[in-house]
Amino acid sequence: MHGTDMHDIDRLRHLEEGMWATPTRSDRDWMDRHLAPGFHEVGRSGRRWTRDEILAAPVSEIDSLIPLPDFSVRQLSEDVVLVTYRSVVAGLSSLRSSIWRQSAEGWLLEFHQGTAVP
């Protein structure tokens, strides 16, 4: 990839929003295809999650504001981007960041972090 174009930005928004939507979050194959082998997350609570823990966790409905507010994509390298946005769930805001890597199979989520907004 040589620069992030509008197609990539739209695809990354779709993928990031898919991580919040119950139909895709509950689809093990979808999640398996989009979480990188070394994926890890630092949640809003500060808890660290591994890929295996995310895939094994029961899926519940998340009442998140979609489209994701303040969505932005910043190119970090030829095949890596930083996605940032704000999430709003049950009236609580968090600042979010995700690192996505383009592979031969498509975009893979390498890392995600949520930070509570006081």
Side-chain angles (χ1 to χ4, degrees), residues 15-37 39 41 51 53-57 59 100 107-109:
L15 290 168
E16 197 70 53
E17 290 175 352
M19 296 292 169
W20 291 91
T22 303
T24 43
R25 285 175 58 84
S26 63
D27 182 340
R28 171 68 188 244
D29 290 336
W30 190 91
M31 292 294 288
D32 193 51
R33 279 193 316 274
H34 295 99
L35 295 180
F39 171 81
E41 174 178 338
R51 181 182 198 277
E53 289 170 327
I54 291 291
L55 291 174
V59 176
W100 290 86
W107 288 102
L108 296 174
L109 182 56

mmCIF file of all heavy atoms in Angstrom, residues 15-37 39 41 51 53-57 59 100 107-109:
data_model
loop_
_atom_site.group_PDB
_atom_site.id
_atom_site.type_symbol
_atom_site.label_atom_id
_atom_site.label_comp_id
_atom_site.label_asym_id
_atom_site.label_seq_id
_atom_site.Cartn_x
_atom_site.Cartn_y
_atom_site.Cartn_z
ATOM 1 N N LEU A 15 -14.507 -1.935 9.221
ATOM 2 C CA LEU A 15 -13.919 -2.957 10.084
ATOM 3 C C LEU A 15 -13.967 -2.548 11.553
ATOM 4 O O LEU A 15 -14.317 -3.359 12.423
ATOM 5 C CB LEU A 15 -12.470 -3.239 9.667
ATOM 6 C CG LEU A 15 -12.302 -3.958 8.339
ATOM 7 C CD1 LEU A 15 -10.841 -3.926 7.897
ATOM 8 C CD2 LEU A 15 -12.799 -5.404 8.449
ATOM 9 N N GLU A 16 -13.612 -1.309 11.832
ATOM 10 C CA GLU A 16 -13.618 -0.844 13.227
ATOM 11 C C GLU A 16 -15.035 -0.876 13.793
ATOM 12 O O GLU A 16 -15.252 -1.328 14.917
ATOM 13 C CB GLU A 16 -13.019 0.557 13.300
ATOM 14 C CG GLU A 16 -12.602 0.984 14.680
ATOM 15 C CD GLU A 16 -11.384 0.269 15.233
ATOM 16 O OE1 GLU A 16 -10.335 0.240 14.572
ATOM 17 O OE2 GLU A 16 -11.486 -0.269 16.359
ATOM 18 N N GLU A 17 -16.005 -0.426 13.015
ATOM 19 C CA GLU A 17 -17.398 -0.476 13.470
ATOM 20 C C GLU A 17 -17.878 -1.916 13.612
ATOM 21 O O GLU A 17 -18.692 -2.220 14.486
ATOM 22 C CB GLU A 17 -18.290 0.341 12.542
ATOM 23 C CG GLU A 17 -18.025 1.829 12.683
ATOM 24 C CD GLU A 17 -18.782 2.715 11.714
ATOM 25 O OE1 GLU A 17 -19.447 2.174 10.781
ATOM 26 O OE2 GLU A 17 -18.699 3.944 11.872
ATOM 27 N N GLY A 18 -17.334 -2.820 12.789
ATOM 28 C CA GLY A 18 -17.664 -4.237 12.913
ATOM 29 C C GLY A 18 -17.221 -4.833 14.241
ATOM 30 O O GLY A 18 -17.827 -5.785 14.739
ATOM 31 N N MET A 19 -16.175 -4.273 14.825
ATOM 32 C CA MET A 19 -15.712 -4.754 16.136
ATOM 33 C C MET A 19 -16.713 -4.404 17.238
ATOM 34 O O MET A 19 -16.693 -4.992 18.314
ATOM 35 C CB MET A 19 -14.330 -4.164 16.476
ATOM 36 C CG MET A 19 -13.227 -4.597 15.540
ATOM 37 S SD MET A 19 -12.883 -6.363 15.743
ATOM 38 C CE MET A 19 -11.835 -6.666 14.329
ATOM 39 N N TRP A 20 -17.603 -3.453 16.971
ATOM 40 C CA TRP A 20 -18.608 -3.023 17.938
ATOM 41 C C TRP A 20 -19.974 -3.672 17.692
ATOM 42 O O TRP A 20 -20.783 -3.761 18.610
ATOM 43 C CB TRP A 20 -18.774 -1.504 17.887
ATOM 44 C CG TRP A 20 -17.591 -0.775 18.406
ATOM 45 C CD1 TRP A 20 -16.507 -0.337 17.687
ATOM 46 C CD2 TRP A 20 -17.328 -0.418 19.757
ATOM 47 N NE1 TRP A 20 -15.602 0.273 18.514
ATOM 48 C CE2 TRP A 20 -16.082 0.241 19.790
ATOM 49 C CE3 TRP A 20 -18.026 -0.582 20.949
ATOM 50 C CZ2 TRP A 20 -15.531 0.737 20.969
ATOM 51 C CZ3 TRP A 20 -17.477 -0.091 22.118
ATOM 52 C CH2 TRP A 20 -16.241 0.551 22.121
ATOM 53 N N ALA A 21 -20.241 -4.091 16.462
ATOM 54 C CA ALA A 21 -21.567 -4.587 16.073
ATOM 55 C C ALA A 21 -21.732 -6.060 16.442
ATOM 56 O O ALA A 21 -20.870 -6.878 16.137
ATOM 57 C CB ALA A 21 -21.771 -4.390 14.573
ATOM 58 N N THR A 22 -22.836 -6.386 17.076
ATOM 59 C CA THR A 22 -23.082 -7.757 17.533
ATOM 60 C C THR A 22 -23.006 -8.793 16.411
ATOM 61 O O THR A 22 -22.391 -9.846 16.607
ATOM 62 C CB THR A 22 -24.434 -7.851 18.272
ATOM 63 O OG1 THR A 22 -24.415 -6.916 19.359
ATOM 64 C CG2 THR A 22 -24.680 -9.243 18.814
ATOM 65 N N PRO A 23 -23.590 -8.556 15.228
ATOM 66 C CA PRO A 23 -23.534 -9.601 14.190
ATOM 67 C C PRO A 23 -22.103 -9.986 13.797
ATOM 68 O O PRO A 23 -21.820 -11.167 13.563
ATOM 69 C CB PRO A 23 -24.277 -8.983 13.010
ATOM 70 C CG PRO A 23 -25.190 -7.971 13.616
ATOM 71 C CD PRO A 23 -24.430 -7.419 14.801
ATOM 72 N N THR A 24 -21.192 -9.020 13.743
ATOM 73 C CA THR A 24 -19.814 -9.341 13.368
ATOM 74 C C THR A 24 -19.006 -9.789 14.581
ATOM 75 O O THR A 24 -18.202 -10.713 14.486
ATOM 76 C CB THR A 24 -19.146 -8.151 12.661
ATOM 77 O OG1 THR A 24 -19.467 -6.948 13.348
ATOM 78 C CG2 THR A 24 -19.589 -8.046 11.221
ATOM 79 N N ARG A 25 -19.212 -9.158 15.739
ATOM 80 C CA ARG A 25 -18.499 -9.573 16.965
ATOM 81 C C ARG A 25 -18.808 -11.028 17.325
ATOM 82 O O ARG A 25 -17.973 -11.730 17.864
ATOM 83 C CB ARG A 25 -18.904 -8.702 18.160
ATOM 84 C CG ARG A 25 -18.310 -7.333 18.161
ATOM 85 C CD ARG A 25 -18.855 -6.509 19.313
ATOM 86 N NE ARG A 25 -18.632 -7.095 20.613
ATOM 87 C CZ ARG A 25 -17.522 -6.983 21.322
ATOM 88 N NH1 ARG A 25 -16.516 -6.312 20.843
ATOM 89 N NH2 ARG A 25 -17.427 -7.538 22.500
ATOM 90 N N SER A 26 -20.030 -11.455 17.038
ATOM 91 C CA SER A 26 -20.429 -12.822 17.385
ATOM 92 C C SER A 26 -20.078 -13.836 16.294
ATOM 93 O O SER A 26 -20.260 -15.031 16.490
ATOM 94 C CB SER A 26 -21.926 -12.881 17.677
ATOM 95 O OG SER A 26 -22.667 -12.535 16.527
ATOM 96 N N ASP A 27 -19.564 -13.369 15.171
ATOM 97 C CA ASP A 27 -19.165 -14.241 14.061
ATOM 98 C C ASP A 27 -17.688 -14.614 14.241
ATOM 99 O O ASP A 27 -16.794 -13.844 13.914
ATOM 100 C CB ASP A 27 -19.389 -13.506 12.739
ATOM 101 C CG ASP A 27 -19.042 -14.341 11.517
ATOM 102 O OD1 ASP A 27 -18.286 -15.335 11.641
ATOM 103 O OD2 ASP A 27 -19.504 -13.978 10.418
ATOM 104 N N ARG A 28 -17.460 -15.799 14.780
ATOM 105 C CA ARG A 28 -16.099 -16.243 15.109
ATOM 106 C C ARG A 28 -15.186 -16.197 13.874
ATOM 107 O O ARG A 28 -14.026 -15.787 13.967
ATOM 108 C CB ARG A 28 -16.157 -17.656 15.711
ATOM 109 C CG ARG A 28 -14.846 -18.350 15.917
ATOM 110 C CD ARG A 28 -14.010 -17.681 17.007
ATOM 111 N NE ARG A 28 -12.686 -18.239 17.075
ATOM 112 C CZ ARG A 28 -12.195 -18.886 18.096
ATOM 113 N NH1 ARG A 28 -12.912 -19.083 19.177
ATOM 114 N NH2 ARG A 28 -10.966 -19.346 18.060
ATOM 115 N N ASP A 29 -15.688 -16.608 12.716
ATOM 116 C CA ASP A 29 -14.877 -16.587 11.496
ATOM 117 C C ASP A 29 -14.484 -15.158 11.123
ATOM 118 O O ASP A 29 -13.341 -14.905 10.744
ATOM 119 C CB ASP A 29 -15.609 -17.252 10.327
ATOM 120 C CG ASP A 29 -15.746 -18.758 10.501
ATOM 121 O OD1 ASP A 29 -14.927 -19.352 11.227
ATOM 122 O OD2 ASP A 29 -16.679 -19.321 9.917
ATOM 123 N N TRP A 30 -15.432 -14.219 11.238
ATOM 124 C CA TRP A 30 -15.150 -12.820 10.920
ATOM 125 C C TRP A 30 -14.071 -12.272 11.850
ATOM 126 O O TRP A 30 -13.108 -11.659 11.405
ATOM 127 C CB TRP A 30 -16.427 -11.977 11.023
ATOM 128 C CG TRP A 30 -16.280 -10.587 10.487
ATOM 129 C CD1 TRP A 30 -16.519 -10.177 9.211
ATOM 130 C CD2 TRP A 30 -15.842 -9.424 11.201
ATOM 131 N NE1 TRP A 30 -16.258 -8.820 9.098
ATOM 132 C CE2 TRP A 30 -15.841 -8.342 10.304
ATOM 133 C CE3 TRP A 30 -15.445 -9.189 12.519
ATOM 134 C CZ2 TRP A 30 -15.475 -7.047 10.665
ATOM 135 C CZ3 TRP A 30 -15.074 -7.896 12.885
ATOM 136 C CH2 TRP A 30 -15.094 -6.848 11.966
ATOM 137 N N MET A 31 -14.242 -12.514 13.147
ATOM 138 C CA MET A 31 -13.259 -12.030 14.120
ATOM 139 C C MET A 31 -11.902 -12.693 13.892
ATOM 140 O O MET A 31 -10.864 -12.030 13.933
ATOM 141 C CB MET A 31 -13.754 -12.296 15.541
ATOM 142 C CG MET A 31 -14.972 -11.474 15.945
ATOM 143 S SD MET A 31 -14.655 -9.697 16.055
ATOM 144 C CE MET A 31 -13.669 -9.623 17.544
ATOM 145 N N ASP A 32 -11.903 -13.982 13.624
ATOM 146 C CA ASP A 32 -10.663 -14.715 13.396
ATOM 147 C C ASP A 32 -9.899 -14.166 12.183
ATOM 148 O O ASP A 32 -8.678 -14.064 12.204
ATOM 149 C CB ASP A 32 -10.980 -16.207 13.201
ATOM 150 C CG ASP A 32 -9.747 -17.066 13.268
ATOM 151 O OD1 ASP A 32 -8.970 -16.928 14.235
ATOM 152 O OD2 ASP A 32 -9.551 -17.878 12.346
ATOM 153 N N ARG A 33 -10.638 -13.769 11.148
ATOM 154 C CA ARG A 33 -10.019 -13.214 9.936
ATOM 155 C C ARG A 33 -9.428 -11.820 10.157
ATOM 156 O O ARG A 33 -8.530 -11.415 9.426
ATOM 157 C CB ARG A 33 -11.049 -13.113 8.800
ATOM 158 C CG ARG A 33 -11.303 -14.385 8.066
ATOM 159 C CD ARG A 33 -12.087 -14.160 6.761
ATOM 160 N NE ARG A 33 -13.211 -13.247 6.857
ATOM 161 C CZ ARG A 33 -14.444 -13.590 7.228
ATOM 162 N NH1 ARG A 33 -14.708 -14.846 7.569
ATOM 163 N NH2 ARG A 33 -15.412 -12.696 7.267
ATOM 164 N N HIS A 34 -9.936 -11.078 11.141
ATOM 165 C CA HIS A 34 -9.535 -9.685 11.285
ATOM 166 C C HIS A 34 -8.652 -9.387 12.493
ATOM 167 O O HIS A 34 -8.102 -8.290 12.575
ATOM 168 C CB HIS A 34 -10.779 -8.792 11.279
ATOM 169 C CG HIS A 34 -11.473 -8.834 9.968
ATOM 170 N ND1 HIS A 34 -12.572 -9.620 9.735
ATOM 171 C CD2 HIS A 34 -11.191 -8.237 8.794
ATOM 172 C CE1 HIS A 34 -12.946 -9.483 8.478
ATOM 173 N NE2 HIS A 34 -12.124 -8.653 7.882
ATOM 174 N N LEU A 35 -8.505 -10.334 13.404
ATOM 175 C CA LEU A 35 -7.583 -10.139 14.524
ATOM 176 C C LEU A 35 -6.252 -10.788 14.171
ATOM 177 O O LEU A 35 -6.193 -11.980 13.865
ATOM 178 C CB LEU A 35 -8.134 -10.764 15.812
ATOM 179 C CG LEU A 35 -9.406 -10.141 16.380
ATOM 180 C CD1 LEU A 35 -9.824 -10.881 17.657
ATOM 181 C CD2 LEU A 35 -9.244 -8.651 16.647
ATOM 182 N N ALA A 36 -5.186 -10.012 14.224
ATOM 183 C CA ALA A 36 -3.847 -10.526 13.916
ATOM 184 C C ALA A 36 -3.457 -11.608 14.925
ATOM 185 O O ALA A 36 -3.956 -11.615 16.058
ATOM 186 C CB ALA A 36 -2.837 -9.388 13.952
ATOM 187 N N PRO A 37 -2.573 -12.531 14.536
ATOM 188 C CA PRO A 37 -2.155 -13.599 15.459
ATOM 189 C C PRO A 37 -1.630 -13.071 16.799
ATOM 190 O O PRO A 37 -1.881 -13.666 17.840
ATOM 191 C CB PRO A 37 -1.060 -14.335 14.688
ATOM 192 C CG PRO A 37 -1.394 -14.090 13.250
ATOM 193 C CD PRO A 37 -1.982 -12.698 13.200
ATOM 194 N N PHE A 39 -2.533 -10.183 18.243
ATOM 195 C CA PHE A 39 -3.406 -9.123 18.727
ATOM 196 C C PHE A 39 -3.464 -9.081 20.249
ATOM 197 O O PHE A 39 -3.506 -10.106 20.921
ATOM 198 C CB PHE A 39 -4.831 -9.317 18.189
ATOM 199 C CG PHE A 39 -5.830 -8.391 18.821
ATOM 200 C CD1 PHE A 39 -5.954 -7.089 18.374
ATOM 201 C CD2 PHE A 39 -6.609 -8.806 19.888
ATOM 202 C CE1 PHE A 39 -6.862 -6.218 18.962
ATOM 203 C CE2 PHE A 39 -7.520 -7.940 20.486
ATOM 204 C CZ PHE A 39 -7.643 -6.649 20.024
ATOM 205 N N GLU A 41 -5.187 -6.178 23.454
ATOM 206 C CA GLU A 41 -5.988 -4.985 23.728
ATOM 207 C C GLU A 41 -5.784 -4.570 25.168
ATOM 208 O O GLU A 41 -5.650 -5.414 26.049
ATOM 209 C CB GLU A 41 -7.473 -5.297 23.493
ATOM 210 C CG GLU A 41 -8.405 -4.184 23.878
ATOM 211 C CD GLU A 41 -9.866 -4.489 23.594
ATOM 212 O OE1 GLU A 41 -10.160 -5.351 22.747
ATOM 213 O OE2 GLU A 41 -10.727 -3.840 24.222
ATOM 214 N N ARG A 51 -5.708 -12.162 22.139
ATOM 215 C CA ARG A 51 -6.554 -12.581 21.023
ATOM 216 C C ARG A 51 -7.449 -13.745 21.447
ATOM 217 O O ARG A 51 -8.658 -13.742 21.191
ATOM 218 C CB ARG A 51 -5.672 -12.986 19.847
ATOM 219 C CG ARG A 51 -6.425 -13.424 18.608
ATOM 220 C CD ARG A 51 -5.425 -13.860 17.526
ATOM 221 N NE ARG A 51 -6.026 -13.877 16.225
ATOM 222 C CZ ARG A 51 -6.760 -14.883 15.746
ATOM 223 N NH1 ARG A 51 -6.976 -15.958 16.475
ATOM 224 N NH2 ARG A 51 -7.269 -14.823 14.532
ATOM 225 N N GLU A 53 -8.440 -14.619 24.407
ATOM 226 C CA GLU A 53 -9.464 -14.192 25.371
ATOM 227 C C GLU A 53 -10.603 -13.458 24.675
ATOM 228 O O GLU A 53 -11.775 -13.674 25.006
ATOM 229 C CB GLU A 53 -8.845 -13.298 26.452
ATOM 230 C CG GLU A 53 -7.946 -14.045 27.403
ATOM 231 C CD GLU A 53 -7.154 -13.135 28.312
ATOM 232 O OE1 GLU A 53 -6.787 -12.009 27.893
ATOM 233 O OE2 GLU A 53 -6.899 -13.552 29.457
ATOM 234 N N ILE A 54 -10.270 -12.628 23.708
ATOM 235 C CA ILE A 54 -11.312 -11.910 22.958
ATOM 236 C C ILE A 54 -12.189 -12.903 22.203
ATOM 237 O O ILE A 54 -13.420 -12.817 22.229
ATOM 238 C CB ILE A 54 -10.693 -10.886 21.982
ATOM 239 C CG1 ILE A 54 -10.048 -9.731 22.745
ATOM 240 C CG2 ILE A 54 -11.714 -10.376 20.956
ATOM 241 C CD1 ILE A 54 -11.009 -8.808 23.466
ATOM 242 N N LEU A 55 -11.567 -13.867 21.535
ATOM 243 C CA LEU A 55 -12.338 -14.837 20.743
ATOM 244 C C LEU A 55 -13.190 -15.747 21.629
ATOM 245 O O LEU A 55 -14.252 -16.205 21.200
ATOM 246 C CB LEU A 55 -11.399 -15.663 19.866
ATOM 247 C CG LEU A 55 -10.732 -14.897 18.724
ATOM 248 C CD1 LEU A 55 -9.717 -15.783 18.012
ATOM 249 C CD2 LEU A 55 -11.757 -14.339 17.750
ATOM 250 N N ALA A 56 -12.756 -16.005 22.861
ATOM 251 C CA ALA A 56 -13.482 -16.899 23.763
ATOM 252 C C ALA A 56 -14.541 -16.179 24.598
ATOM 253 O O ALA A 56 -15.426 -16.824 25.173
ATOM 254 C CB ALA A 56 -12.499 -17.607 24.693
ATOM 255 N N ALA A 57 -14.477 -14.866 24.663
ATOM 256 C CA ALA A 57 -15.397 -14.106 25.518
ATOM 257 C C ALA A 57 -16.822 -14.174 24.987
ATOM 258 O O ALA A 57 -17.039 -14.125 23.774
ATOM 259 C CB ALA A 57 -14.943 -12.649 25.602
ATOM 260 N N VAL A 59 -20.279 -12.881 23.784
ATOM 261 C CA VAL A 59 -20.593 -11.640 23.076
ATOM 262 C C VAL A 59 -21.927 -11.112 23.580
ATOM 263 O O VAL A 59 -22.909 -11.831 23.603
ATOM 264 C CB VAL A 59 -20.657 -11.873 21.554
ATOM 265 C CG1 VAL A 59 -21.070 -10.610 20.828
ATOM 266 C CG2 VAL A 59 -19.315 -12.377 21.050
ATOM 267 N N TRP A 100 -3.815 -1.069 12.713
ATOM 268 C CA TRP A 100 -4.182 -2.026 11.670
ATOM 269 C C TRP A 100 -3.007 -2.202 10.722
ATOM 270 O O TRP A 100 -2.333 -1.232 10.378
ATOM 271 C CB TRP A 100 -5.385 -1.523 10.878
ATOM 272 C CG TRP A 100 -6.677 -1.529 11.633
ATOM 273 C CD1 TRP A 100 -7.155 -0.544 12.444
ATOM 274 C CD2 TRP A 100 -7.668 -2.560 11.633
ATOM 275 N NE1 TRP A 100 -8.382 -0.901 12.950
ATOM 276 C CE2 TRP A 100 -8.719 -2.137 12.473
ATOM 277 C CE3 TRP A 100 -7.760 -3.811 11.012
ATOM 278 C CZ2 TRP A 100 -9.858 -2.898 12.697
ATOM 279 C CZ3 TRP A 100 -8.886 -4.572 11.233
ATOM 280 C CH2 TRP A 100 -9.918 -4.129 12.070
ATOM 281 N N TRP A 107 -6.863 -6.295 5.888
ATOM 282 C CA TRP A 107 -6.487 -5.569 7.095
ATOM 283 C C TRP A 107 -6.599 -6.459 8.324
ATOM 284 O O TRP A 107 -7.595 -7.156 8.504
ATOM 285 C CB TRP A 107 -7.377 -4.344 7.271
ATOM 286 C CG TRP A 107 -7.094 -3.263 6.299
ATOM 287 C CD1 TRP A 107 -7.810 -2.960 5.171
ATOM 288 C CD2 TRP A 107 -6.011 -2.331 6.355
ATOM 289 N NE1 TRP A 107 -7.233 -1.896 4.525
ATOM 290 C CE2 TRP A 107 -6.129 -1.483 5.230
ATOM 291 C CE3 TRP A 107 -4.951 -2.126 7.231
ATOM 292 C CZ2 TRP A 107 -5.239 -0.458 4.973
ATOM 293 C CZ3 TRP A 107 -4.060 -1.092 6.983
ATOM 294 C CH2 TRP A 107 -4.202 -0.275 5.864
ATOM 295 N N LEU A 108 -5.567 -6.423 9.172
ATOM 296 C CA LEU A 108 -5.542 -7.170 10.428
ATOM 297 C C LEU A 108 -5.371 -6.203 11.588
ATOM 298 O O LEU A 108 -4.496 -5.326 11.559
ATOM 299 C CB LEU A 108 -4.375 -8.170 10.448
ATOM 300 C CG LEU A 108 -4.432 -9.293 9.424
ATOM 301 C CD1 LEU A 108 -3.136 -10.104 9.469
ATOM 302 C CD2 LEU A 108 -5.629 -10.188 9.704
ATOM 303 N N LEU A 109 -6.181 -6.386 12.629
ATOM 304 C CA LEU A 109 -6.092 -5.555 13.816
ATOM 305 C C LEU A 109 -4.998 -6.108 14.721
ATOM 306 O O LEU A 109 -5.074 -7.241 15.187
ATOM 307 C CB LEU A 109 -7.438 -5.532 14.542
ATOM 308 C CG LEU A 109 -7.554 -4.663 15.793
ATOM 309 C CD1 LEU A 109 -7.191 -3.211 15.508
ATOM 310 C CD2 LEU A 109 -8.960 -4.765 16.366
#
